[in-house]
Amino acid sequence: MGALQSAPGQPEYTDLAEKTGCPRFSPCVFSVSFEQIAVLHKRFKQLSHNEETLRRDHFEKIPDLACNPIRAQIIGAFFDKRNYRQNGEGSVEEIGFEEFLVVMSHFRPPSMHFTEEQREGIRREKLRFLFNMHDTDNDGTITLEEYRHVVEELLSRSGALGKETAKSIADAAMLEVASISMGHMEPDEFYEGITFEHFLKLLDGFEIESKMNIRFLNMDTATMCK
Amino acid sequence: MAELRTGSGPVLLLLLLLLVSVGSAIHDAVSGTNGTNVDPHHQSNSSGTKKPFPVLSFNYDHVRMPFEISLWILLALLMKLGFHIIPRVSHVVPESCLLIVVGLLVGGFIKAIGEEAPILDSKLFFLYLLPPIILDAGYFLPIRAFTENMGTILVFAVVGTLWNSFFIGGMMYGVCQIESAQLGAVDLLSCLHFGCIISAVDPVAVLAVFEEIHIHELLYILVFGESLLNDAVTVVLYHLFEEFSHAGTVTVGDAFLGVICFFVVSLGGIMVGAIYGLLGAFTSRFTSHTRVIEPLFVFLYSYMAYLSAEVFHLSGIMSLIACGVMMRPYVEANISHKSYTTIKYFLKMWSSVSETLIFIFLGVSTVAGPHAWNWTFVIFTVIICLVSRVLGVIGLTYVINKFRIVKLTKKDQFIVAYGGLRGAIAFSLGFLLTNSQVKHMFLTAIITVIFFTVFVQGMTIRPLVELLAVKRKKESKRSINEEIHTQFLDHLLTGIEGICGHYGHHHWKDKLNRFNKTYVKRWLIAGDRSTEPQLISFYNKLEMKQAIMLVESGSGAKLPTTVSAISMQNVQPKEAPRQRVIPTISKSREQEIRKILRANLQNTRQRLRSYSRHDLMIDPFEDNMSEIRFRRQKVEMQRRMSHYLTVPANRQETPPVRKVCFEPEHQVYNYDAIAIESPRGRDSRPTPSSPNDVSLLNESPQKPNQSSTTRAAGDVELRVKTEDEQEEQDQLKLSRCLSDPGPNQEGEGGSSFRS
């Protein structure tokens, strides 16, 4: 690949940098830089208590996650093979640093020098991540039940508001998606669920590439690859 | 300025000038005499010394002050009205420019008739005209965008203004040294003083111009936020230089004290505002029995915050903003819907009047004030202001972009630089200058810069925005999906930050939210609303809005865009138990929605020619519906009703209507009739012939005997029993809305005309 920064003593990171760098469209111009990889590796070792792999219970021990309403989904996302950019499916029980890094790299911001096409690629990638988080049964659509589950989880920390409110909110949201995507349906047609294309259309104006970023991964990188 | 083709403009103008001149003339005429009694109609001759009883007397002094104030305000508003009647001009030229021109004309007119034209008094400006505008801006500030860009805004406001002041002051001092300009009398301190006055971006001007060009929220919040927050810097620098010019010498200690002063002024202002905001929120918790005065609390607490800050020479603007921001989430959870509307409209009204008055007065003061025109000074001021702004923005953006996730592009920088308008604050501050030697020259320069920015920059920014294809504001309303995902993303990013071990932006925001929820909300929000999560309140608001829109659209308003031809049956899995789930909303909310609906429906009773569930959407209601037509329709409808009575109601053969428009005549029936008949139970309620033609949604033919048996007249039950699969979400909403005893249009075909 192209010009990679050669940091002394970190040959194993070049490999990793390649793996995290390329979105579906080529050429990729951004990958996680070496400083970031080093920091994340340190964190990985901290979380896994110096073991080689992370398991779910390691995540569950993180105190900051304890009061997060969608904790289970976040943890699940790390173990979801669909997020590893290898077109896999299903989930695993433990992950290595490589997978950890790949999942984290979903949260990098688009560089200012990206073209429109690359921005679009980044957008799709982030929205794909979100989609995978919602679509728990891996069938490629978010059904009403899954969406209801999402809303319930969001409201789960908010006390006893009952499943009914969550249901109606999810119903209203689903109706909205259907109206936006399908426009018009026969009364006997059935809207199966939100496909990825509908999801893209739904969150079209959401500007996710500016929102779904972790500042920590913001460091501008000079690593380019062809 | 007014096109000759449309006659209303110049006529209006002439009329107003007449009004003003009459006012001034009257003032002049009675300025010497007090309580003159003039009785022109008195004819009888009195006996001796007894004065005849004055039938008609004239006492202008008595009402002079309020009369003139009202006259001015009336003039301002009539002008505003006039501009909007002339569409072409108002599209090209921003309103602020037109108002200044009017002010110029009025000032010129007043001067021409030899009168003393009123000047924009600083006290009047700072105490009465400015607060409404700032409160309006602060109360409706988009908090999310503001806090996300807070760092950038602060850097622009503080560092940018400092840079501007010193650069302009320094350069002007350099200009003053030029021999040929005869400006030797101006010393460095005065120049710096001048620099700090002219450097501040003005919120009023920015609002006036940016509101019309509808740019992207990020840019708007950057420029506007900067204009608000630079008040602290301006206040400190102004007083600093004022003190220094009196004292004569500046020491390092003084400069250090100046820095301390800055922190005191800004943080103190914010604290004062926050205290008043919390007080206001706390007060609003108890206002459930006195809804009428709720808006007053909001206004008064905010105004007090402003005045209290001004007492200590703290930043009044920041105090006002802090008060509004602090108060808003809690107050909105506590007050009634009507109070919310009242607050919104009053704020808009006052700020609109203030803005108009400010610009007109600017024009008048330009004509009135003594001017000392110095070519060199003025021209260089304008040029250096521009240069300084551009350099400042470019330099600061370069630094800021290193810390931002979403970088500012060159286009953004251009708009930020170009949007740095100066306005009336600069003028008023200049007016407060005490050094009369250079004051007039400074004032002239300030006015020139203001005119330049407002006219040239204000007028050209719109075509430039279009030329550069700057991102415009998203017009679409916030949908429930976006809200869900915003919340989801918040939690996701907080979680990821937790996993990284990196305590970033989201982490602290989450902590603040949790603190807010557990402690603050409990104190400041009444009742059970304090535990309502944001998603729920958003959803409820959305529902309420849609309910109101649905009702109002019966009088011809546009369809809400979210209503479409898709119904819940398309979305819900068929196997799922067909339960109509309705979220339980609290009783009080229910009452509120019902009250609103009832009020609206009752109002429309006189106006509507018909109310039916079916032409809810299509009725192109004309405002000038004549009474005769209404009565004719009534007669016609009654005829049809009698026809329907003899026909079985089970008209299933009509195909389901996909579109929302269809013939109204077949389904027209009188709202009055329904209202009258409703107490007699739903059986006698007239239903439209084709139960299928539910406008909203794609409904398949309904079973004839569907009845919401819980929907007896006067019943306030919201829950409807389990029905079959045709219950759509929107019909659900509609029925919920319509459960108000009144137009109960649950005409699911079953109820036939049985008298």
Side-chain angles (χ1 to χ4, degrees):
Chain A
M1 300 212 128
L4 288 173
Q5 262 181 359
S6 55
Q10 293 174 330
E12 67 271 22
Y13 287 160
T14 57
D15 212 18
L16 285 170
E18 281 174 30
K19 279 222 175 75
T20 60
C22 305
R24 242 165 13 104
F25 306 121
S26 62
C28 58
V29 290
F30 182 90
S31 71
V32 188
S33 78
F34 289 113
E35 298 92 20
Q36 294 163 12
I37 296 182
V39 172
L40 283 172
H41 199 167
K42 214 162 60 173
R43 180 68 181 166
F44 181 84
K45 287 221 263 279
Q46 210 178 31
L47 286 177
S48 68
H49 307 294
N50 281 323
E51 289 173 31
E52 280 303 314
T53 55
L54 274 180
R55 288 186 305 279
R56 285 175 202 261
D57 50 302
H58 287 131
F59 280 104
E60 275 159 24
K61 288 208 201 90
I62 302 175
D64 291 320
L65 273 188
C67 34
N68 199 316
I70 55 169
R71 181 171 76 142
Q73 271 114 318
I74 298 178
I75 297 179
F78 275 90
F79 293 91
D80 189 345
K81 269 170 139 181
R82 288 175 295 174
N83 291 330
Y84 296 159
R85 294 217 192 93
Q86 287 162 355
N87 297 325
E89 278 209 359
S91 66
V92 294
E93 282 311 310
E94 47 184 36
I95 56 172
F97 179 59
E98 197 182 304
E99 286 88 25
F100 182 73
L101 195 56
V102 172
V103 171
M104 291 300 276
S105 71
H106 279 96
F107 292 94
R108 65 179 191 273
S111 158
M112 204 159 79
H113 311 290
F114 274 10
T115 64
E116 199 50 48
E117 193 187 288
Q118 284 156 345
R119 281 196 114 87
E120 184 62 31
I122 295 271
R123 269 193 78 234
R124 283 184 83 96
E125 187 186 301
K126 293 187 195 281
L127 283 174
R128 185 86 224 175
F129 187 82
L130 276 186
F131 188 81
N132 290 342
M133 279 184 84
H134 295 323
D135 181 21
T136 44
D137 59 358
N138 281 349
D139 64 352
T141 56
I142 305 178
T143 60
L144 186 62
E145 277 309 314
E146 287 169 343
Y147 212 27
R148 275 186 187 158
H149 185 67
V150 169
V151 179
E152 267 164 32
E153 287 292 304
L154 271 181
L155 295 176
S156 61
R157 299 278 160 167
S158 321
L161 278 155
K163 293 181 72 112
E164 307 218 333
T165 325
K167 245 194 212 171
S168 63
I169 294 180
D171 290 349
M174 201 68 174
L175 193 66
E176 203 179 79
V177 179
S179 343
I180 293 177
S181 327
M182 306 289 281
H184 177 80
M185 286 173 74
E186 307 293 317
D188 51 350
E189 272 183 270
F190 179 59
Y191 184 61
E192 291 295 334
I194 312 178
T195 63
F196 186 55
E197 292 306 320
H198 293 169
F199 195 67
L200 280 179
K201 203 160 147 197
L202 178 72
L203 292 182
D204 198 24
F206 200 53
E207 287 185 18
I208 197 160
E209 68 268 18
S210 4
K211 294 194 183 163
M212 188 166 143
N213 301 312
I214 295 287
R215 191 172 282 276
F216 153 73
L217 289 176
N218 184 32
M219 295 173 253
D220 212 355
T221 175
T223 316
M224 308 275 282
C225 59
K226 262 205 254 124
Chain B
M1 65 171 208
E3 301 287 355
L4 285 176
R5 270 163 258 155
T6 48
S8 56
V11 169
L12 216 52
L13 187 60
L14 228 49
L15 177 67
L16 289 158
L17 291 177
L18 208 60
L19 270 173
V20 169
S21 60
V22 162
S24 322
I26 290 175
H27 167 226
D28 197 28
V30 300
S31 56
T33 61
N34 254 343
T36 317
N37 286 341
V38 174
D39 35 8
H41 300 298
H42 177 66
Q43 289 285 345
S44 67
N45 29 9
S46 54
S47 54
T49 53
K50 178 161 161 259
K51 249 177 135 262
F53 184 75
V55 174
L56 186 71
S57 48
F58 184 85
N59 184 357
Y60 180 64
D61 257 358
H62 188 57
V63 297
R64 193 183 115 220
M65 176 79 121
F67 191 85
E68 285 186 351
I69 293 177
S70 305
L71 200 60
W72 274 106
I73 298 182
L74 192 62
L75 167 90
L77 295 175
L78 284 171
M79 281 287 101
K80 212 174 158 81
L81 195 69
F83 298 145
H84 288 283
I85 293 180
I86 312 171
R88 278 187 44 182
V89 178
S90 63
H91 187 71
V92 171
V93 184
E95 206 175 275
S96 41
C97 302
L98 291 173
L99 289 170
I100 294 185
V101 170
V102 167
L104 284 173
L105 287 172
V106 170
F109 189 76
I110 293 183
K111 211 162 189 179
I113 63 176
E115 275 300 315
E116 188 66 39
I119 304 192
L120 183 60
D121 182 27
S122 290
K123 188 164 143 203
L124 171 74
F125 175 73
F126 278 114
L127 290 184
Y128 299 113
L129 291 180
L130 190 61
I133 301 179
I134 304 294
L135 180 60
D136 178 40
Y139 196 79
F140 294 110
L141 199 65
I143 296 292
R144 214 186 165 87
F146 191 69
T147 47
E148 277 174 11
N149 295 297
M150 179 69 95
T152 314
I153 294 177
L154 274 175
V155 168
F156 273 128
V158 176
V159 181
T161 311
L162 280 173
W163 155 260
N164 274 343
S165 318
F166 284 107
F167 185 75
I168 295 176
M171 294 300 279
M172 287 319 292
Y173 184 61
V175 166
C176 291
Q177 305 297 55
I178 300 176
E179 292 299 324
S180 56
Q182 296 147 1
L183 288 168
V186 186
D187 61 333
L188 181 62
L189 262 177
S190 306
C191 278
L192 286 173
H193 205 174
F194 174 72
C196 94
I197 293 176
I198 197 81
S199 66
V201 177
D202 187 77
V204 180
V206 164
L207 264 178
V209 169
F210 271 49
E211 217 163 320
E212 296 178 1
I213 60 177
H214 296 300
I215 53 168
H216 192 42
E217 194 179 55
L218 170 70
L219 290 175
Y220 167 76
I221 201 72
L222 280 181
V223 183
F224 184 62
E226 179 195 343
S227 68
L228 288 177
L229 294 186
N230 67 15
D231 181 57
V233 181
T234 312
V235 164
V236 169
L237 279 180
Y238 185 84
H239 287 299
L240 211 63
F241 287 129
E242 201 170 68
E243 289 298 322
F244 288 169
S245 55
H246 286 301
T249 53
V250 185
T251 65
V252 176
D254 288 332
F256 183 64
L257 280 178
V259 172
I260 305 248
C261 183
F262 165 71
F263 284 107
V264 166
V265 161
S266 50
L267 294 174
I270 293 179
M271 213 165 56
V272 167
I275 292 176
Y276 273 100
L278 287 173
L279 274 176
F282 189 64
T283 313
S284 74
R285 189 179 157 185
F286 302 105
T287 55
S288 48
H289 301 290
T290 46
R291 295 282 185 196
V292 188
I293 57 176
E294 270 173 344
L296 274 175
F297 281 119
V298 171
F299 301 142
L300 286 173
Y301 273 112
S302 313
Y303 195 45
M304 293 284 290
Y306 181 76
L307 294 175
S308 310
E310 286 288 321
V311 166
F312 298 103
H313 275 207
L314 303 173
S315 167
I317 291 184
M318 290 179 89
S319 160
L320 203 49
I321 301 281
C323 182
V325 164
M326 204 61 168
M327 219 182 356
R328 186 179 176 201
Y330 309 109
V331 161
E332 280 194 355
N334 282 332
I335 61 177
S336 71
H337 183 78
K338 275 193 193 150
S339 299
Y340 171 71
T341 313
T342 308
I343 292 178
K344 191 165 81 160
Y345 276 100
F346 261 85
L347 281 179
K348 296 288 174 203
M349 184 182 80
W350 273 330
S351 67
S352 186
V353 170
S354 276
E355 197 180 294
T356 316
L357 277 174
I358 287 176
F359 283 117
I360 289 191
F361 266 117
L362 254 184
V364 173
S365 313
T366 310
V367 176
H371 291 296
W373 182 269
N374 185 317
W375 277 102
T376 328
F377 192 78
V378 171
I379 302 259
F380 269 98
T381 306
V382 175
I383 296 178
I384 291 177
C385 274
L386 282 176
V387 168
S388 148
R389 175 84 182 157
V390 170
L391 285 179
V393 168
I394 293 183
L396 285 175
T397 316
Y398 178 72
V399 174
I400 288 172
N401 268 347
K402 294 206 196 305
F403 298 95
R404 277 182 70 89
I405 294 186
V406 179
K407 319 259 185 236
L408 294 176
T409 64
K410 291 237 177 337
K411 267 193 236 171
D412 297 338
Q413 292 175 41
F414 176 74
I415 296 289
V416 170
Y418 208 66
L421 307 173
R422 293 6 184 223
I425 290 187
F427 179 80
S428 308
L429 283 177
F431 204 73
L432 285 173
L433 280 174
T434 48
N435 183 0
S436 62
Q437 250 187 321
V438 293
K439 175 173 163 179
H440 296 154
M441 187 172 68
F442 283 174
L443 264 182
T444 313
I446 291 173
I447 288 183
T448 315
V449 173
I450 293 177
F451 272 42
F452 181 81
T453 56
V454 172
F455 278 89
V456 174
Q457 284 177 238
M459 275 205 273
T460 54
I461 201 169
R462 196 201 296 242
L464 275 174
V465 159
E466 282 171 18
L467 191 69
L468 292 176
V470 179
K471 256 195 293 190
R472 306 299 277 259
K473 183 155 71 159
K474 235 183 351 152
E475 283 308 331
S476 59
K477 291 220 179 76
R478 214 143 143 76
S479 71
I480 185 111
N481 274 297
E482 287 192 358
E483 181 68 25
I484 291 178
H485 279 99
T486 311
Q487 300 244 328
F488 191 81
L489 209 56
D490 272 343
H491 289 299
L492 174 65
L493 290 172
T494 312
I496 297 286
E497 278 187 0
I499 292 178
C500 280
H502 170 73
Y503 283 168
H505 181 67
H506 290 97
H507 178 86
W508 295 116
K509 199 156 71 152
D510 189 55
K511 268 210 155 66
L512 187 67
N513 276 337
R514 264 186 287 136
F515 173 74
N516 192 14
K517 204 187 302 192
T518 41
Y519 298 111
V520 183
K521 273 194 181 167
R522 220 179 284 166
W523 278 101
L524 297 178
I525 300 187
D528 56 355
R529 297 279 290 271
S530 56
T531 50
E532 202 177 56
Q534 191 188 351
L535 193 58
I536 305 265
S537 39
F538 178 83
Y539 176 67
N540 283 336
K541 268 196 210 137
L542 202 66
E543 288 277 286
M544 186 122 83
K545 255 189 255 173
Q546 283 198 347
I548 294 175
M549 257 199 291
L550 279 170
V551 168
E552 281 181 356
S553 61
S555 55
K558 254 172 50 131
L559 254 182
T561 48
T562 51
V563 175
S564 71
I566 300 207
S567 56
M568 206 53 211
Q569 65 174 7
N570 295 118
V571 171
Q572 279 217 12
K574 290 223 166 52
E575 309 76 54
R578 309 284 160 49
Q579 273 166 3
R580 182 129 85 160
V581 287
I582 308 173
T584 43
I585 54 181
S586 64
K587 260 294 185 225
S588 61
R589 189 78 81 113
E590 209 182 287
Q591 293 290 350
E592 232 178 277
I593 296 185
R594 190 163 301 120
K595 252 191 278 184
I596 294 168
L597 292 171
R598 193 178 305 143
N600 269 314
L601 291 169
Q602 280 170 358
N603 284 342
T604 55
R605 185 211 285 223
Q606 290 97 29
R607 293 184 284 134
L608 273 183
R609 79 182 145 106
S610 73
Y611 183 86
S612 78
R613 194 151 67 98
H614 305 268
D615 45 291
L616 246 181
M617 301 304 144
I618 58 118
D619 207 343
F621 175 68
E622 294 109 17
D623 269 334
N624 44 2
M625 172 78 55
S626 69
E627 196 61 45
I628 302 163
R629 201 165 148 203
F630 182 74
R631 284 207 204 97
R632 199 154 34 93
Q633 287 288 342
K634 198 165 160 179
V635 165
E636 162 88 0
M637 195 235 47
Q638 274 164 356
R639 192 176 58 76
R640 286 186 190 276
M641 260 172 64
S642 56
H643 167 72
Y644 289 148
L645 282 172
T646 60
V647 173
N650 233 347
R651 300 267 191 93
Q652 303 261 1
E653 60 272 13
T654 332
V657 176
R658 299 289 159 72
K659 308 198 313 263
V660 289
C661 325
F662 51 92
E663 315 302 329
E665 298 93 72
H666 301 303
Q667 282 86 18
V668 164
Y669 49 92
N670 200 339
Y671 173 65
D672 272 341
I674 294 164
I676 293 168
E677 288 174 29
S678 65
R680 283 185 294 175
R682 52 178 307 288
D683 279 357
S684 53
R685 204 158 295 128
T687 44
S689 59
S690 35
N692 310 328
D693 298 354
V694 177
S695 58
L696 299 178
L697 309 154
N698 248 347
E699 244 184 314
S700 43
Q702 305 211 16
K703 292 213 190 49
N705 287 325
Q706 270 174 16
S707 57
S708 40
T709 51
T710 54
R711 198 68 53 76
D715 196 337
V716 298
E717 181 79 81
L718 264 199
R719 283 193 179 283
V720 181
K721 286 203 329 220
T722 307
E723 312 226 33
D724 66 12
E725 64 266 21
Q726 278 86 9
E727 298 316 323
E728 303 82 4
Q729 180 81 345
D730 278 280
Q731 188 178 355
L732 183 155
K733 285 186 206 148
L734 194 52
S735 53
R736 190 153 30 100
C737 305
L738 300 177
S739 71
D740 199 27
N744 198 334
Q745 306 312 327
E746 269 314 312
E748 289 91 342
S751 58
S752 51
F753 281 88
R754 289 194 292 278
S755 52

